[in-house]
Each structure stands twice: as C-alpha cells, then as structure tokens.
Amino acid sequence: MGTVIMHNVVSVDGFIADENDDVGPLHEWYFSGDTLIIEGADQQYDHSGTGSAFKVSQASAGYVQAMWEAIGTSVMGRNLFDLTNGWEGHPPAGGHVVVVSHRPKPEGWHPEAPYHFVDGVTAAIDRAQELAGERTVMVNAGDVGSQILAAGLVDEVAMDVVPVVFGSGRRYFGDIDGQHLLEDPHVVIQGERVLHLRFKVRR
C-alpha cells in the first residue's frame, strides 16, 4: 500500500484558514512564481478552480510536481467538499477522492465523478488505499486529518509553511488530543514565500 501523507498549506502559527474558511495569502505562492507546474508534456495543473495556472518558484517546482504526481487518492472532510463543491467532480490531484461524511453524496451531484463518501476515518483510509494501490494517499489537514493521525493511520506529515500569522481560525491539527511524536524532517526546501517540510510519524 502507498504512503498516507497528511498535508496542507499552513500559517506559521498553525492555521489553514481563518474562522470564515478564507485562506487569505496562504496560496499566493502557488501563482507568483516563474515555473509552470506541468503533468506530462502538455497538460498544466489548475487545481485552484479559478482558471489560473499554478506557477511556483523554481525551488518549489520539483517538489510540488513530484508530490502531486504521486497521489492516487485524496481524503477530505465534508466541510471542504461543501466549500469547493467537490471541484465540480474533478479531483484536484489523483484519480479518486474519498469524502469522510455522515451524509451521502448529494443527490444528482456529478454521478460520473470518482468521489466516494465514507462514514468514518478508518473506513475512509481503507477505501483510499484500495483505490490508490501503491500510490500516495493524501489526507487534507484539519479536523478529519487530525482524526486520521490520532487513529495511527498517517505515515507522514507534510506542511507548506507560509510566513503569515493568522492568530485564530482552523488549525492544521484540528482539535487533536495528546502528543504525537514525529521524526526529524526528511524534507526541508525553502521556496519563495513558502517553506516545504515533511516529517515521518514516529511509530
């Protein structure tokens, strides 16, 4: 099975959005560089839903592209699904999306979309790994991500740290209880207006 990675862009004080789910300047580095993130030879990534191509600094480009291309399945909570309307049925990365939700897929919503609604984090990771095979399962940070980490189902924590202080909002680690030890970072890449970090979860 592939690696389960919990990931998000995050402020230096640990927030992934404000109280109104506004990400503010957290994603500006995705569009302010000079290197287009591409898949294959001719398809450009556009995961933003804005029609803007992702252009990052040269320092970030190799890391970001390799991470996205490794994703087989993404796991998200219902709140993010509702906020984005599931990107209109087009997964932002990978071939499938697993949504952790007590509610089913909205009736009539993009019936062809490779989205799978699962009640519970353990079942969600089982389904995501089944769909991903040997590829990466990428878990969005926040409340659902923290539940998956607390359940011992996350292999690595990845953070794209942006130099901004939010003061309050939605935390990267949600309302997680207790301490969870990580190894020393095995990826440390300084981009422009972002610092990429990855930590293995200590078992």
Side-chain angles (χ1 to χ4, degrees):
M1 292 182 291
T3 303
V4 178
I5 302 177
M6 180 176 171
H7 170 260
N8 234 92
V9 183
V10 60
S11 69
V12 293
D13 56 342
F15 294 98
I16 59 177
D18 67 16
E19 294 93 338
N20 299 315
D21 293 304
D22 189 338
V23 297
L26 286 179
H27 292 178
E28 288 178 0
W29 65 275
Y30 274 132
F31 309 101
S32 60
D34 55 9
T35 305
L36 182 68
I37 301 298
I38 60 173
E39 181 178 21
D42 56 6
Q43 182 180 356
Q44 69 183 25
Y45 282 106
D46 176 15
H47 300 164
S48 65
T50 65
S52 300
F54 277 0
K55 296 182 73 173
V56 301
S57 69
Q58 189 172 4
S60 293
Y63 171 74
V64 172
Q65 182 166 333
M67 175 175 274
W68 285 352
E69 289 180 345
I71 297 172
T73 304
S74 297
V75 179
M76 64 194 300
R78 186 59 181 256
N79 183 61
L80 181 57
F81 174 85
D82 288 341
L83 283 171
T84 63
N85 196 33
W87 297 282
E88 299 301 334
H90 300 286
H96 296 269
V97 175
V98 174
V99 182
V100 182
S101 177
H102 299 301
R103 292 176 285 142
K105 181 188 297 186
E107 187 174 353
W109 182 86
H110 298 288
E112 76 291 347
Y115 282 57
H116 313 267
F117 286 66
V118 177
D119 185 357
V121 296
T122 300
I125 294 299
D126 287 345
R127 182 69 172 130
Q129 289 185 317
E130 176 187 344
L131 294 164
E134 297 300 316
R135 301 182 72 194
T136 298
V137 172
M138 189 65 71
V139 175
N140 284 98
D143 290 335
V144 165
S146 66
Q147 292 173 41
I148 294 171
L149 176 63
L153 301 174
V154 171
D155 299 310
E156 295 186 23
V157 170
M159 311 175 92
D160 298 321
V161 184
V162 173
V164 60
V165 176
F166 270 39
S168 63
R170 295 191 177 274
R171 296 186 176 278
Y172 181 100
F173 289 105
D175 294 323
I176 197 167
D177 290 326
Q179 296 183 357
H180 299 268
L181 292 177
L182 309 178
E183 301 292 349
D184 291 337
H186 62 281
V187 172
V188 181
I189 299 174
Q190 182 175 337
E192 295 178 12
R193 302 297 296 170
V194 64
L195 177 65
H196 307 288
L197 300 172
R198 280 175 68 172
F199 310 81
K200 293 183 178 178
V201 176
R202 183 172 292 185
R203 301 299 189 191

